[in-house]
Amino acid sequence: MADVILVVAEQRSGQLNRASFETIAAAQAIAKETGWPVQVVLPGNQVMPLAAQLAQQSVQSVYALEAPELAAYTSDAYVHALSQFIGEKQPRVVLFPHTYQVRDFGPRLALALDRTLISDATGYKLDAGRLLFTRQMFQGKFTADVAFTGDAPWMATIQIGAFRADTSAAAQAPVERASAAVSQSSARITPHEIFQEAKQAVDLSQAPVIVAVGRGIKEEKNLSLAQDLANVLGGELAASRPICDNGWLPLERQIGSSGQTVAPNLYIALGISGAIQHIVGVKGARTIVAINKDREAPIFEIADVGVVGNLFDVVPALTAEIKKAKAGS
Amino acid sequence: MKILVCIKQVPQKDAPLKLNAAGTWIHEDVSYEVNEPDAYALEEALRQKEKHGGEVVVLTAGPARAQQVLREALAKGADRAIHLEDEKFVQLDSANTARAIHAAIAQESFDLIVTGLQSDDFGAAQTGVLLAEILGIPHATIIIGIEKTDTGLRLKRELEAGHYQHIETTMPALLTIQSGINKLRYATLIGIKQAKMKPVRKVTWADVESKISPNLQQIVRLYVPEKQKRTEMMEGPAPEVARKVVDYLRTAARVI
């Protein structure tokens, strides 16, 4: 067992994602308290230039884990390559970003190594030498401290946005190429090109004001209440996933992990409970106003202003009041 | 196609939850419903059966109360059900839940296994993927489109930020289903009547216990989240609250 924190970084089509840097930041925070050095492994094909970028992150070393079969992601190839690599290195801790890709292969990898994976951690605690990870449960209504009861490697995925990425360059750490032996005969899954649906007509990421609706809006016809509020503020209308699943608003107006990530000056959440998948999309908002009938709703955890009340009463009153304020100014 | 659907009963979305005295779990005397993505997985299984024929078997693990979600699934059109019935199944980690399911279906062989992409209670998003690993079959996650082909399945997989990918897989396979893949149906009155006649096979803790290992992860403490922000809470008559919010937006936040 090596006292090392290994970060499994992620790239897609020659680009590192921000979540990888956030996970390195999480590893560095743990390293600061434990003294365990941080190493990074980047699976892919011909990823040495990207590995060199990661090597500027104040880490001990970076491995480019390469094989032609890792060029386009499949869970089988990733599990095979990484289980060998981790099995050999025996790091004490392995951290991953909680991306869709890691959700796809991470659990299988942990089981292949006869270990467990604590998923979607928002933080960690060191409790008398024991490493705990904190994670949200019951859609964010509670937080849990979760412990490993078995042997290292202790594996966890880090929630998007939970740690602040430091992308400023530090001294260059050594980069090493590690070739992975992946058997091609086991290809059960054939991946095709990644694509986007029809070009998006709205770019919510640039909107200064967003009024977003959730399940609390109850019926499609009630959307006009939210639209009126958005109009007086010169903002865009958006929604949490269930609203788009119902077809009440197009998918391009969906905010959250599967939709858009936004950073408006003002974000007004109407009848949105604040499930994790939604909250990760709005963490960048400067001011958040939440209106919800349930005072325990997790959305209030991230709100600057929380209104406990019936949105069908509060929203028209708020629209009228803003109209008045704008007319007076 | 013989299809297995793994579903879970979770606390209702707006049910007020309270911690138990030990601070390790919730008080279980709340209202429950089927985990939402699991409902979409069931719907998808029913649609595939309608197109290609076969059988839809629905499975859950949980105490007696969990039988409700099986009855609802049978009423919607599932052919039969398997209930791993015991209070103890609730506290298994994802790997052990997958092992228990594996043990319960050891005598069967399914062409396709579907389940929701994650549960609204634990939210670990692992059980389905781990079941595939234990069964030694391919899997794909966060699926929003399924098409049967001559050689297997052509799938549409959701990626982050509005990206998608088509992938092909051989069968048998396990898929985790994203909410919104289809439109959910309601159970009909006839369906509800027929459901009462459909078989539910019970699997006890003792039946599968030998396949279960000690949990490798454990909740040490469950608690109300620590506030990340100072939230100014407002309550009262709507016009008054509206004035207070506008006041905040003008003076404190300066956004209007």
Side-chain angles (χ1 to χ4, degrees):
Chain A
M1 183 60 53
D3 277 334
V4 163
I5 305 169
L6 180 71
V7 172
V8 179
E10 181 173 317
Q11 51 83 28
R12 197 158 79 192
S13 337
Q15 286 233 303
L16 293 164
N17 59 10
R18 186 172 187 82
S20 296
F21 291 93
E22 292 174 359
T23 307
I24 291 173
Q28 284 164 338
I30 299 172
K32 219 179 227 175
E33 292 187 54
T34 57
W36 303 334
V38 178
Q39 299 181 357
V40 182
V41 60
L42 180 67
N45 190 34
Q46 297 173 341
V47 290
M48 284 297 276
L50 295 178
Q53 264 183 56
L54 291 165
Q56 297 175 349
Q57 290 292 302
S58 306
V59 295
Q60 191 184 46
S61 59
V62 178
Y63 299 92
L65 183 63
E66 296 191 319
E69 293 82 3
L70 298 174
Y73 166 80
T74 64
S75 56
D76 282 346
Y78 266 57
V79 168
H80 196 215
L82 280 167
S83 60
Q84 277 181 22
F85 182 83
I86 294 168
E88 273 167 34
K89 300 282 176 202
Q90 288 292 311
R92 188 162 294 277
V93 182
V94 185
L95 300 183
F96 309 79
H98 191 70
T99 59
Y100 281 26
Q101 185 164 300
V102 170
R103 291 169 57 130
D104 197 65
F105 78 82
R108 265 190 114 130
L109 172 63
L111 193 58
L113 289 163
D114 205 15
R115 293 296 180 273
T116 194
L117 179 72
I118 296 178
S119 47
D120 214 8
T122 55
Y124 69 92
K125 284 177 185 167
L126 280 156
D127 174 41
R130 195 161 62 144
L131 181 62
L132 308 178
F133 283 96
T134 54
R135 60 186 304 277
Q136 291 163 300
M137 290 191 50
F138 296 98
Q139 297 278 292
K141 290 185 185 117
F142 296 113
T143 304
D145 291 342
V146 185
F148 297 97
T149 57
D151 296 334
W154 297 315
M155 308 171 76
T157 68
I158 305 295
Q159 186 173 103
I160 310 295
F163 287 81
R164 192 171 289 274
D166 177 9
T167 44
S168 62
Q172 185 84 21
V175 180
E176 199 180 305
R177 177 179 272 135
S179 48
V182 181
S183 79
Q184 183 122 53
S185 64
S186 66
R188 304 180 287 190
I189 293 212
T190 314
H192 296 284
E193 288 300 305
I194 290 165
F195 63 96
Q196 274 183 295
E197 309 267 72
K199 201 119 189 84
Q200 312 237 325
V202 286
D203 184 5
L204 294 179
S205 68
Q206 300 302 317
V209 176
I210 293 175
V211 175
V213 298
R215 279 177 211 277
I217 200 78
K218 292 210 169 83
E219 288 183 62
E220 186 173 8
K221 64 175 169 52
N222 299 332
L223 282 177
S224 61
L225 283 179
Q227 184 67 62
D228 291 346
L229 178 58
N231 288 349
V232 294
L233 287 164
E236 292 284 352
L237 189 60
S240 63
R241 178 154 197 129
I243 301 303
C244 298
D245 283 348
N246 285 346
W248 297 353
L249 278 177
L251 271 173
E252 62 183 16
R253 289 189 185 268
Q254 184 200 320
I255 290 176
S257 56
S258 54
Q260 305 238 19
T261 302
V262 296
N265 287 332
L266 175 61
Y267 188 82
I268 304 185
L270 307 178
I272 291 179
S273 67
I276 307 151
Q277 298 89 322
H278 181 74
I279 283 177
V280 295
V282 298
K283 274 190 173 162
R286 196 154 68 100
T287 300
I288 297 177
V289 177
I291 304 173
N292 202 298
K293 66 175 166 49
D294 174 14
R295 71 177 62 249
E296 308 292 333
I299 190 78
F300 290 133
E301 299 300 321
I302 60 154
D304 298 278
V305 174
V307 178
V308 182
N310 183 341
L311 73 91
F312 301 107
D313 298 333
V314 177
V315 173
L318 186 57
T319 305
E321 197 61 31
I322 291 168
K323 245 187 216 162
K324 241 197 306 185
K326 290 224 162 172
S329 63
Chain B
M1 248 196 303
K2 191 172 165 187
I3 308 173
L4 177 70
V5 190
C6 301
I7 64 176
K8 185 175 192 180
Q9 194 191 40
V10 297
Q12 259 175 18
K13 281 207 166 52
D14 50 3
L17 302 180
K18 296 209 166 42
L19 291 169
N20 67 8
T24 52
W25 197 242
I26 57 161
H27 272 296
E28 295 227 326
D29 54 345
V30 293
S31 310
Y32 287 87
E33 64 187 357
V34 66
N35 183 48
E36 188 172 47
D38 296 344
Y40 285 97
L42 169 66
E43 177 64 40
E44 199 53 33
L46 295 173
R47 288 179 186 218
Q48 293 297 328
K49 182 195 154 180
E50 281 156 10
K51 260 188 240 165
H52 306 292
E55 185 186 22
V56 172
V57 180
V58 62
L59 175 151
T60 198
R65 62 167 161 78
Q67 194 180 317
Q68 179 61 24
V69 295
L70 295 178
R71 287 286 163 210
E72 286 165 12
L74 293 171
K76 284 184 172 186
D79 298 291
R80 59 187 169 92
I82 302 170
H83 187 179
L84 288 81
E85 186 180 335
D86 201 294
E87 194 68 49
K88 292 198 271 292
F89 287 115
V90 175
Q91 297 297 338
L92 289 183
D93 66 18
S94 306
N96 276 323
T97 304
R99 288 185 188 110
I101 294 171
H102 179 235
I105 59 168
Q107 305 305 319
E108 312 216 28
S109 74
F110 293 96
D111 303 306
L112 180 63
I113 302 177
V114 290
T115 187
L117 81 167
Q118 65 189 53
S119 62
D120 284 349
D121 52 2
F122 277 77
Q126 295 199 32
T127 304
V129 179
L130 292 169
L131 181 57
E133 174 70 14
I134 293 166
L135 286 163
I137 61 173
H139 81 276
T141 49
I142 319 188
I143 296 305
I144 55 162
I146 301 174
E147 212 183 296
K148 193 174 176 301
T149 64
D150 295 339
T151 51
L153 297 169
R154 180 178 161 85
L155 307 166
K156 187 174 176 189
R157 190 175 159 237
E158 184 181 287
L159 300 173
E160 283 106 338
H163 287 77
Y164 302 93
Q165 185 182 29
H166 285 120
I167 60 176
E168 277 162 76
T169 177
T170 55
M171 286 209 279
L174 185 145
L175 310 177
T176 78
I177 304 298
Q178 171 67 291
S179 293
I181 182 175
N182 47 40
K183 290 267 171 272
L184 301 178
R185 74 188 63 192
Y186 292 99
T188 60
L189 271 176
I190 298 169
I192 294 167
K193 259 189 202 159
Q194 286 172 342
K196 291 178 182 144
M197 315 296 290
K198 290 178 177 174
V200 178
R201 174 159 70 86
K202 303 267 176 145
V203 177
T204 66
W205 178 262
D207 291 338
V208 298
E209 194 178 6
S210 65
K211 305 289 183 203
I212 293 171
S213 316
N215 280 348
L216 290 181
Q217 57 177 280
Q218 183 197 356
I219 296 169
V220 179
R221 194 165 78 91
L222 192 67
Y223 50 96
V224 175
E226 288 142 14
K227 280 240 173 249
Q228 297 168 8
K229 251 186 178 179
R230 264 175 66 110
T231 307
E232 203 163 313
M233 295 301 284
M234 298 175 182
E235 215 168 334
E240 192 188 312
V241 169
R243 270 194 298 280
K244 280 200 267 182
V245 173
V246 170
D247 201 43
Y248 179 93
L249 295 179
R250 290 186 96 164
T251 55
R254 297 169 185 274
V255 284
I256 55 172

